[in-house]
Amino acid sequence: MVHREAAAEWYARNRTRSRALFDLIEPEAYYARPIALRNPIVFYEGHLPAFSIIALINRGLGRPGVDPRLEQLFARGIDPESEDDATPRSGADTRWPPRDEVLAFGVAADALITDAILHAPFDESRPAMRRAEGLFTALEHEAMHQETLLYMWHRLPHGRKRRPVYLPYELNGDLPGHATVKVPAGAATLGALRRGPADLAQGKHPIPFGWDNEFEAHSLDVPAFDVDVHSVTNADYLPFVEAGHVEPPAFWLREDGRWFWRGMFENLPLPPAWPAYVSHEDATAFAASKGRRLLTEAEFHRAAYGTPSGDERPFPWGTAGPDRTRGHFDFASWDPVPAGARPAGASAWGIHDLVGNGWEWTSSLFAPFPGFVPMASYPEYSAEFFDGQHYVMKGASSATAKELIRPSFRNWFRPNYPYVYAKVRTAASA
Ligand code: AVJ
Ligand code: FE
């Protein structure tokens, strides 16, 4: 059973945060495209309500939305592979509506959606409404795109953003060192249980909602491996850049021979203890330069959720929910914190920042788990990306909502995508 008031409250909280994020942008930047491959900013302000209408109102409840033309226009934006791809950019030929029209559409959508969440019959015999799927799809989709917005905003020139008065930086962490820890061979559970109340009775814990790519739950035997206790920092990564092995990260810039961090609202002298945010390609190359490699997805699970006793826990630190003392996530700030700055979030093996302060690249290609079925409320969500061209990221960043933090949640991007808040941790087979 869904708690309707709680869902409506989450919807409202999402919408308030999305509006606050759009308020960070100077209005004249509204049609800008901070990442050349992605749609312009205007698309996202329409996409959030349009998607909620499609997933919950149309597919879930079988009801009409508020404006079929705008719902179609804002339904979806796919990233082509590269800027010189033959495929035209998303929305290259689109004439986008004036902002007033997009905002009015959002207001009308919010009224319709809020009323439906509180009062509409939830017909569980509709595939897109089983266990209220379409409702959670809408809610988690908006939360996910709040991270998209923030990493897009990171690319906008500072003059096109409105700088908040208070910027909560943590700059002066000690360098965390290069300790590694050996995780012994053992089993790791990947994915989540999709079944119903019968499993609960058996002491299993099906999650209320998961995206299609999170099912089914399965156990993998993970051989022993050795892994960094801390994320790779800017200080660690700097010699690799200066030796000319890779282009500098998208979050770095060099002025008069000095390195800076391209922060959300200003450039900062490169904070040495912050994790380096890099592409999967560069993360892989960095690890190889140390004679090491990235964690596999299964090794990440073992490192984050496994324990010496063999039990697994829902969070690296145990069973308590994800509050900000455990990790740098849930919009705690605009930029990273020093590696190791949230020791209360360390895993049972003493590994820091597995969930928070930047996603963790894995060496695993994004692929379906055994038993994968595309979800009825959004069948294209994952299936289109099982193409051997996307890698799994695990964990969370400063811009990941706490509602998305669970062991089975999987994120994915192309290996050359340098814009996400994603960090490196090196490992080796033991
Ligand atoms: C799962 C973050 C890769 O942003 O491309 C949002 C999520 N899919 N709308 C993305 C998504 C459709 C997706 N990622
Ligand atoms: Fe989307």
Side-chain angles (χ1 to χ4, degrees):
M1 271 306 285
V2 201
H3 190 313
R4 289 177 186 259
E5 283 73 25
E9 194 268 338
W10 181 2
Y11 185 77
R13 219 161 6 101
N14 259 347
R15 300 299 288 148
T16 301
R17 181 179 288 132
S18 295
R19 294 212 167 87
L21 295 178
F22 282 99
D23 279 346
L24 296 169
I25 298 304
E26 290 294 349
E28 84 273 0
Y30 194 57
Y31 297 92
R33 199 185 275 277
I35 295 178
L37 290 171
R38 295 203 81 126
N39 270 317
I41 292 173
V42 50
F43 165 80
Y44 289 91
E45 199 164 39
H47 177 57
L48 297 175
F51 182 89
S52 294
I53 285 186
I54 293 166
L56 172 61
I57 305 295
N58 302 156
R59 292 178 181 157
L61 305 177
R63 293 182 170 190
V66 297
D67 185 330
R69 183 182 63 91
L70 290 179
E71 284 145 23
Q72 157 84 29
L73 175 67
F74 291 125
R76 217 156 172 245
I78 304 297
D79 300 352
E81 180 170 10
S82 74
E83 283 171 54
D84 44 43
D85 204 35
T87 334
R89 288 170 175 180
S90 284
D93 306 322
T94 308
R95 284 184 54 94
W96 299 101
R99 188 170 197 177
D100 283 352
E101 201 178 320
V102 180
L103 289 172
F105 168 64
V107 169
D110 287 350
L112 184 79
I113 291 164
T114 304
D115 181 68
I117 294 174
L118 289 172
H119 306 298
F122 287 0
D123 179 356
E124 298 259 339
S125 71
R126 294 181 63 86
M129 216 48 197
R130 287 187 64 201
R131 285 178 224 100
E133 181 188 290
L135 170 63
F136 288 105
T137 301
L139 291 169
E140 290 208 358
H141 175 265
E142 179 136 359
M144 252 192 276
H145 269 314
Q146 291 171 345
E147 178 154 7
T148 314
L149 296 180
L150 281 166
Y151 78 70
M152 274 174 52
W153 289 186
H154 240 107
R155 312 317 317 159
L156 272 180
H158 297 131
R160 308 193 86 176
K161 288 177 273 195
R162 297 169 170 173
R163 189 180 187 280
V165 175
Y166 171 61
L167 293 177
Y169 294 129
E170 288 179 38
L171 289 167
N172 298 319
D174 293 334
L175 287 175
H178 298 111
T180 65
V181 67
K182 188 182 162 192
V183 177
T189 305
L190 277 68
L193 281 172
R194 125 155 73 217
R195 294 174 223 296
D199 297 293
L200 265 180
Q202 294 166 32
K204 297 180 186 167
H205 299 284
I207 56 176
F209 169 78
W211 296 91
D212 50 9
N213 65 65
E214 296 173 55
F215 302 107
E216 282 285 319
H218 58 289
S219 177
L220 293 178
D221 288 324
V222 183
F225 59 98
D226 165 282
V227 59
D228 296 347
V229 165
H230 292 285
S231 313
V232 170
T233 63
N234 288 328
D236 298 328
Y237 198 75
L238 182 60
F240 186 61
V241 172
E242 292 199 319
H245 295 304
V246 282
E247 292 296 309
F251 290 83
W252 293 17
L253 59 113
R254 197 175 164 90
E255 256 168 35
D256 303 326
R258 293 170 62 218
W259 288 105
F260 291 84
W261 178 269
R262 181 186 171 126
M264 182 68 93
F265 296 103
E266 61 195 315
N267 297 333
L268 302 161
L270 189 67
W274 284 9
Y277 287 168
V278 305
S279 70
H280 183 274
E281 261 165 24
D282 292 350
T284 305
F286 176 83
S289 78
K290 301 283 177 190
R292 291 167 69 82
R293 57 174 177 77
L294 303 182
L295 290 169
T296 65
E297 186 175 9
E299 286 170 342
F300 178 91
H301 276 261
R302 181 100 178 111
Y305 309 113
T307 64
S309 74
D311 291 341
E312 292 175 280
R313 348 195 266 196
F315 302 102
W317 53 86
T319 53
D323 73 76
R324 289 177 186 177
T325 66
R326 306 290 189 169
H328 188 54
F329 43 61
D330 200 33
F331 309 96
S333 81
W334 313 103
D335 280 291
V337 296
R342 298 291 179 273
S347 79
W349 317 103
I351 306 166
H352 290 244
D353 297 324
L354 284 160
V355 174
N357 211 18
W359 293 86
E360 300 251 333
W361 281 119
T362 75
S363 61
S364 299
L365 279 170
F366 184 53
F369 288 158
F372 171 84
V373 180
M375 57 206 296
S377 61
Y378 189 11
E380 313 90 337
Y381 178 65
S382 307
E384 237 171 63
F385 301 95
F386 296 146
D387 56 2
Q389 315 241 23
H390 294 79
Y391 285 89
V392 173
M393 295 189 327
K394 293 292 293 182
S397 84
S398 55
T400 308
K402 65 178 184 308
E403 291 85 354
L404 304 178
I405 295 178
R406 56 177 175 263
S408 56
F409 191 91
R410 306 166 82 199
N411 206 340
W412 65 91
F413 282 96
R414 293 177 187 276
N416 61 354
Y417 200 63
Y419 306 120
V420 271
Y421 305 142
K423 57 186 160 67
V424 198
R425 180 185 308 273
T426 75
S429 301

